[in-house]
Amino acid sequence: MVPSIQAATLWGGLLILLLLVLSSVVVSRRRRHLIEFGDGGNPEMTPAVRAFGNAAEYIPAGMCGLILLAFVGAPLLLIHGVGGALFAGRIIHALGLLFQEGPSLGRVTGMVLTWLALLVAAVSLIAWSVI
């Protein structure tokens, strides 16, 4: 397998696993509180639903960036940097939502890492398209 594609598939697999973990947190809390759909108005559900929702909103764009970077033959360091920052950002953000109330350092740090990963991927892809 081409090393850049292998690197992108590693981060893609880890990001999909993260989505499954966050989804299981939502399902577990719904079962605990006997909620069939949504958050049921239960304030304990909101952080779990948003941790999953935020991940589901940002991970697809990040994975597309990783796949395209691999497709153009980007350096392994770049792919691992983007994938690692995105993965770490999504974990830190989720933990900040799930285990801290209100604004938290985890949420801010997680978003900064996520945005940085997406920005680096975007700028790199644009650079590859014009060079």
Side-chain angles (χ1 to χ4, degrees):
M1 184 180 299
V2 177
S4 59
I5 294 172
Q6 192 171 12
T9 58
L10 167 69
W11 293 111
L14 289 170
L15 289 161
I16 291 168
L17 285 176
L18 177 59
L19 282 170
L20 288 171
V21 168
L22 294 174
S23 176
S24 70
V25 170
V26 173
V27 169
S28 173
R29 289 186 183 187
R30 281 185 181 146
R31 286 185 176 180
R32 182 178 338 134
H33 297 291
L34 304 174
I35 297 169
E36 290 184 33
F37 182 78
D39 64 11
N42 185 317
E44 186 182 335
M45 288 298 303
T46 303
V49 170
R50 286 315 311 147
F52 173 75
N54 272 260
E57 292 161 3
Y58 283 99
I59 286 174
M63 287 178 63
C64 287
L66 289 167
I67 291 165
L68 290 170
L69 286 169
F71 183 73
V72 298
L76 286 177
L77 185 59
L78 177 61
I79 293 173
H80 283 301
V82 168
L86 180 62
F87 186 67
R90 294 293 79 214
I91 288 176
I92 293 167
H93 184 267
L95 292 173
L97 270 170
L98 293 170
F99 297 108
Q100 298 173 331
E101 291 185 23
S104 70
L105 182 59
R107 288 174 62 195
V108 172
T109 303
M111 284 311 306
V112 168
L113 281 171
T114 299
W115 289 342
L116 182 62
L118 293 176
L119 179 63
V120 168
V123 170
S124 298
L125 290 168
I126 292 167
W128 253 277
S129 75
V130 297
I131 295 177

